[in-house]
Amino acid sequence: MNLAEIINKLNDAQSQAVALDSVHNALVLAGAGSGKTKVLTHRIAYLVTQKNVHIDAILALTFTNKATNEMRERLSMLLKRPIGNMWVGTFHGLAHRLLRAHPAAANLTAQFQILDAQDQSRVIKRLMKENQIDEGQFPIKKMQWFINQQKDEGIRPADIDAGSNYFVKKSLEVFVLYEKYCNDNNLIDFAELLVRSYELLKNNPELLTHYQRRFEHILIDEFQDTNTMQYQWVKLLFNGENKMFCVGDDDQSIYSWRGAKIENIVKLETDFMPLKIIRLEQNYRSTGYILKASNALIAHNKNRMGKSLWSDSGDGELIDLYEARNEVDEADFVVSSIQKYIDNGVLANECGILYRSNAQSRAFEERLIKYNIPYTIYGGLRFFERAEIKDALAYLRLIENNSDRVAFERVVNFPTRGIGNATLEKIREFAQINQTHLFQAAINIAPTLPIRAANALTGFIQLIEQMQNATKNLDLPAKVAYLIEASGLVAHYANDKTSSKTENLEELIAAAKQYTHEDDNDMSKTMGFIALASLDSSGESNMLATKNVQLMTIHSAKGLEFSHVFLTGLEEGLFPSRQSQDEPHLIDEERRLCYVGMTRARQKLTLSFATKRFLHGQSIYAYPSRFLSELPKPHLNPIQQKYGVIQKNYQQNDTFNQSQAKGDLSIGRTVKHAKFGFGTILNFEGVGDSTRVQVKFKTAGTKWLISSYANLKFV
């Protein structure tokens, strides 16, 4: 089947987007499950095969490594050939590629290194300590956030006027120290990749003109997630003659907390004229009831660009809505439901439990363990963020580049070899005074140290030199295999019988074998692999192939789908979050987040909330989320816990317990106690004889009572 035949199988809106004329730029408003990746890849294939656009004249930008890999695989299939070094990748990945191609013009050396988030934090911590800045008063994470936020906006230290704000003054001081450290040590962090590549093009008009002419077509995925710097980066490349093709969904803009600007998708209409807007509204994922409820919810947001998802696959099942007593009851209902689905043939990994806050996962984990159902929490440490992997890569970085200060600091005394802080301070002081790197400073000062310290430091120097010589002619996988053994990492981690760290080190060798190097710059294959590892740790959490039930935050679930979704914790103060309640624009984003969560479901969606929740160390009485009231009641199947399930041998001999057995016990009912008088039920928990009731009495105050002894009477 040729491409023309494949395009004929697209729906009308998809075909219109793929075969758009050469006059217009495009904004494709692609609803959840509407086939946006298909449209993007088919658009590129259409340009190459039908319009004779050279593949090197296309720039395709994504937000995650997963999306990049998927796009590359689909393009290879559509074009029936490898796509080689085509410029398709994440914003950070392609910015890095640009800097590697022109390091000198970007005021870098060819050996520049990328600081990942962990290393960035360590550098900031050390700089603050060296300059007597109290991290108790100015937390490392806040300093890191301040620096990255400025860079996301394209702001340098010289652009900041702190005024009389003491916190901003100190933050700016750290920012200045950090910038100097990075410049002195040939380091750039993730945010710097975009800022530096933007400045590279802006400050070099001939280079900018070259890339503007080269990239005849610029295609961007998930445009609603772009931040200020990413938008400016793309706008700079646009010269009015090349064509923009942006795919996005303003209803799925949920990342403002990390700099995404929903207004960017609106600005397209003025900055990239003439612009044609095409709406993809046919959904190929979810059932009719799920889509109708999702449409009704998101319609409460104002200032939307507007679209309504629909499906021709039928309405499917109603959406279950479960009212739980507390988080334990909620977890028990969710997990017991999953067990029933599994018993009826549903695969465990087709069940996703979504929540607003990571703190909610504990109750679900406990119940999954109780039911003996394997589970995976999505959003843990990425592979390249793991300590043992970063240790191995630090050795690899140091043998490739002795001047790598961050790598030196990480491994100079790991595994422990007797090099103490006093020795390290002498090395740092010598390096600073003599304007040299730490490894050279270590070589110079080793003979001047006391015998024990000299032997320890000399042993490390010899180890690095030995590894350099031994790996000089080895290919990348063999080099990695050699250094994890010779460095002592395997032996060190082998002592920990409870972890899989040695297995992870072996997996690093496998990753080196699978690495494909792009030969369009001066980077060696080893340095390319190191860069890949750093860039990978900046992206989304790794989603390992698993047969387990999936647990994750709703933010982490974006881009994923499950046949059965449990969207939990729909309570005011939790979802929407307490921090958003007084800010209309934040409530809108919370509603978009709920919309994203609901549209992850293919066949069955279950919503749940609890009337009381123990969270962050305290019990909280909760009200159902406002989002629940915005859903059409005909699409919902309410399920209310039948409170007070009575044991068979329990004697139902009074009015209260008979009502309890019928499930009539409810918050707000008036009761009478023989001693305390009249009161109102505030809460209750447990079943049968162990049922406890919290009652606020008019004269005796609030008390917890065991129903089987209290002899309460309904009034």
Side-chain angles (χ1 to χ4, degrees), residues 594-615:
C594 187
Y595 173 84
V596 167
M598 291 173 65
T599 54
R600 298 311 93 197
R602 291 199 297 267
Q603 299 171 18
K604 182 67 179 178
L605 174 62
T606 300
L607 310 175
S608 64
F609 67 96
T611 55
K612 186 178 81 168
R613 184 176 296 276
F614 188 81
L615 196 65

Side-chain angles (χ1 to χ4, degrees), residues 659-675:
S659 296
Q660 178 188 339
K662 293 176 184 177
D664 294 338
L665 184 58
S666 61
I667 294 172
R669 292 202 67 169
T670 302
V671 293
K672 183 179 180 181
H673 186 270
K675 179 180 178 181

Side-chain angles (χ1 to χ4, degrees), residues 319-390:
I319 298 168
D320 286 346
L321 173 58
Y322 183 70
E323 177 186 342
R325 293 192 303 274
N326 51 39
E327 75 280 358
V328 176
D329 178 26
E330 179 186 47
D332 202 48
F333 171 78
V334 168
V335 176
S336 62
S337 299
I338 289 174
Q339 183 64 68
K340 291 174 185 175
Y341 290 139
I342 293 173
D343 291 344
N344 289 321
V346 175
L347 297 176
N349 63 1
E350 281 296 342
C351 298
I353 303 174
L354 312 185
Y355 35 77
R356 179 65 180 84
S357 166
N358 277 312
Q360 294 170 250
S361 72
R362 180 183 59 83
F364 296 111
E365 291 185 70
E366 289 175 354
R367 280 300 183 267
L368 287 162
I369 291 169
K370 176 183 175 182
Y371 279 80
N372 198 29
I373 299 175
Y375 66 91
T376 299
I377 296 181
Y378 183 78
L381 276 180
R382 305 171 184 95
F383 177 75
F384 287 111
E385 283 182 328
R386 298 180 186 276
E388 63 276 17
I389 300 303
K390 289 176 69 66

Side-chain angles (χ1 to χ4, degrees), residues 3 7 52-53 65-66 96 102 130 163 218 232 263 275 301 336 350 377 398 430 459 503 511 527 558 562 666:
L3 184 64
I7 290 176
N52 298 317
V53 176
N65 295 316
K66 178 187 173 192
H96 171 253
H102 310 282
E130 290 173 355
I218 302 172
Q232 293 301 323
E263 56 267 30
L275 184 80
N301 275 4
S336 62
E350 281 296 342
I377 296 181
L398 194 57
F430 184 94
E503 294 175 6
M527 295 304 292
K558 188 169 180 295
F562 304 93
S666 61

Side-chain angles (χ1 to χ4, degrees), residues 44-64:
I44 294 171
Y46 174 82
L47 291 172
V48 173
T49 62
Q50 308 299 308
K51 295 299 180 181
N52 298 317
V53 176
H54 196 281
I55 202 165
D56 288 343
I58 295 172
L59 174 67
L61 292 154
T62 69
F63 271 85
T64 68

Side-chain angles (χ1 to χ4, degrees), residues 93-234:
L94 295 183
H96 171 253
R97 185 170 172 178
L98 197 61
L99 293 175
R100 287 292 179 193
H102 310 282
N107 297 317
L108 295 165
T109 72
Q111 290 76 35
F112 75 85
Q113 292 292 326
I114 303 171
L115 272 179
D116 65 19
Q118 288 184 29
D119 288 335
Q120 182 188 40
S121 177
R122 290 172 65 157
V123 167
I124 293 170
K125 182 181 180 72
R126 185 164 64 248
L127 290 172
M128 289 176 63
K129 184 178 179 180
E130 290 173 355
N131 290 273
Q132 292 81 49
I133 300 173
D134 181 15
E135 69 174 90
Q137 189 176 1
F138 303 97
I140 304 297
K141 284 189 176 180
K142 285 192 175 182
M143 297 297 100
Q144 188 174 15
W145 176 85
F146 177 86
I147 291 169
N148 292 334
Q149 184 192 45
Q150 307 313 310
K151 292 190 179 188
D152 284 344
E153 296 293 325
I155 297 171
R156 293 295 192 191
D159 303 323
I160 300 173
D161 179 8
S164 59
N165 189 311
Y166 185 62
F167 182 83
V168 175
K169 281 183 178 180
K170 275 295 175 185
S171 300
L172 178 57
E173 182 182 339
V174 175
F175 193 4
V176 171
L177 290 168
Y178 174 76
E179 284 252 299
K180 183 178 186 308
Y181 178 92
C182 289
N183 289 333
D184 289 348
N185 290 279
N186 208 27
L187 297 168
I188 58 174
D189 54 45
F190 295 130
E192 184 71 20
L193 285 166
L194 287 170
V195 182
R196 189 71 66 100
S197 61
Y198 172 80
E199 292 172 346
L200 166 70
L201 295 174
K202 187 177 181 181
N203 297 334
N204 294 274
E206 291 184 4
L207 202 58
L208 174 60
T209 300
H210 165 77
Y211 282 106
Q212 286 175 331
R213 290 175 177 171
R214 173 175 179 168
F215 296 130
E216 299 171 18
H217 292 269
I218 302 172
L219 299 94
I220 306 164
D221 191 11
E222 304 284 13
F223 198 84
Q224 77 281 350
D225 292 339
T226 54
N227 63 25
T228 299
M229 199 68 257
Q230 288 161 336
Y231 188 88
Q232 293 301 323
W233 198 82
V234 170

Side-chain angles (χ1 to χ4, degrees), residues 434-449:
N434 294 278
Q435 295 295 297
T436 188
H437 55 77
L438 296 181
F439 190 77
Q440 184 59 53
I443 293 173
N444 289 346
I445 74 159
T448 69
L449 298 174

